[in-house]
Amino acid sequence: VLAQEGVKVVYHFDAGLEQATKGLRNIKNHLDVEPKTKIVVVAHAQGVNFLLDGAQNQAGNPYNIPVEELAARGVEFRVCEITLKSNKIDPKKLLPETKLVPSGVVEITRLQAKEGFAYLKP
């Protein structure tokens, strides 16, 4: 099977750490099968927690390692500023691989409507 050129996917993270663990595994598997896929993670609400410095999964493994590995493979991690403000989270606490966007839901909508991204929610 030939990998499709130019497939773009937005992964929507808005739940807790369980979703993050599953979603990061999904993205790794996705790229293992189709390495040319352009993947953007958009995180808002409880979905931002795994992108905070020091965050760990249920087994006590830090999230920064898989985030760094996926970022090195071209995955982008975009975080909702509204979530940070409403939860009084200092943006300096985010992992360096992240980028702020004004609104997570607006970013997901924009990627789908204007840039042709497929939508996946782990």
Side-chain angles (χ1 to χ4, degrees):
V1 180
L2 291 175
Q4 288 181 308
E5 196 70 56
V7 173
K8 299 181 289 188
V9 183
V10 56
Y11 276 79
H12 180 190
F13 287 63
D14 68 346
L17 297 179
E18 199 174 312
Q19 181 195 39
T21 300
K22 183 170 66 173
L24 292 171
R25 187 175 59 241
N26 290 163
I27 293 168
K28 182 192 176 302
N29 292 342
H30 195 143
L31 290 172
D32 287 349
V33 174
E34 289 221 345
K36 290 187 169 89
T37 306
K38 170 68 182 157
I39 296 178
V40 174
V41 170
V42 178
H44 70 101
Q46 297 300 307
V48 306
N49 295 343
F50 81 102
L51 292 168
L52 297 174
D53 191 35
Q56 298 179 339
N57 68 15
Q58 295 87 332
N61 297 313
Y63 281 105
N64 66 304
I65 293 167
V67 168
E68 286 168 17
E69 288 170 352
L70 291 173
R73 296 176 75 178
V75 177
E76 293 180 30
F77 293 87
R78 300 181 187 172
V79 177
C80 173
E81 280 188 280
I82 293 170
T83 295
L84 297 185
K85 285 180 185 141
S86 62
N87 291 287
K88 296 179 176 54
I89 298 170
D90 184 344
K92 292 187 199 76
K93 290 189 172 144
L94 290 167
L95 296 176
E97 293 78 16
T98 60
K99 176 185 155 200
L100 291 179
V101 293
S103 163
V105 291
V106 170
E107 185 69 4
I108 290 165
T109 305
R110 188 186 69 73
L111 288 169
Q112 288 183 85
K114 300 264 168 69
E115 295 193 30
F117 276 69
Y119 174 87
L120 277 175
K121 186 167 186 180

